[in-house]
Amino acid sequence: QVQLVESGGGSVQVGGSLRLSCTASGTAFTPFAVGWFRRAPGQHREFVAALTWSTGLTYYADLALGRFTVSRDIDKNTVYLQMSSLKPDDTGVYYCAAAPQTMTDYIGDYDHWGQGTQVTVSS
C-alpha cells in the first residue's frame, strides 16, 4: 500500500513563495502520474498541476500557469510543487495524489491521496 505525505505548507504573505513536497512510502511507487489539488475554505477540491512519473511531462491548471512549477525526484520518491507570486486566493489545503493510468485533472482518476498540508496567504 502506498502512503503519500505532504509537507512544506505554512503561512506566507502575498507575493511570497512556498515549496510543497509529496513523499511516497510503502510498496514500490510507480504511478502513471502524480497530481496536486487544493481545497479552499468552503470550496470543492480543484486541480492544480500534475506530472507523469516516468517522463516528467507536466500539466497545469490555468490558476497555476506562470506561478507554480511541479517537478519530481525519482530517487527520493518525491514530487514538488514550487509556488511563487502567491495570492490570498491560493489559501487552502493542498493535497497530492497518485494516478495509476492517466494524467488528468479529474479527481476520480487518482486512487491514493495524502492527508494535505495547509497553505495560508495573507495580505
Side-chain angles (χ1 to χ4, degrees):
Q1 184 76 359
V2 172
Q3 291 87 40
L4 301 176
V5 178
E6 302 95 337
S7 61
S11 296
V12 65
Q13 292 191 325
V14 169
S17 299
L18 282 173
R19 188 178 78 159
L20 307 183
S21 299
C22 170
T23 301
S25 62
T27 57
F29 187 60
T30 56
F32 184 87
V34 176
W36 285 96
F37 294 78
R38 71 185 188 187
R39 184 175 64 202
Q43 303 296 318
H44 294 296
R45 200 171 298 192
E46 64 178 343
F47 173 74
V48 176
L51 58 67
T52 55
W53 183 248
S54 62
T55 64
L57 182 67
T58 57
Y59 174 37
Y60 294 95
D62 287 347
L63 65 89
L65 284 172
R67 299 190 302 130
F68 296 178
T69 301
V70 61
S71 62
R72 85 245 191 264
D73 185 329
I74 293 177
D75 291 338
K76 295 182 178 180
N77 271 0
T78 299
V79 176
Y80 303 100
L81 183 66
Q82 177 68 48
M83 306 187 295
S84 61
S85 302
L86 286 164
K87 311 172 184 178
D89 286 350
D90 295 317
T91 294
V93 179
Y94 283 70
Y95 302 88
C96 67
Q101 296 181 332
T102 187
M103 179 171 68
T104 72
D105 56 7
Y106 177 52
I107 289 176
D109 287 330
Y110 293 81
D111 62 358
H112 288 89
W113 290 81
Q115 83 291 346
T117 186
Q118 176 70 43
V119 171
T120 302
V121 184
S122 58
S123 57

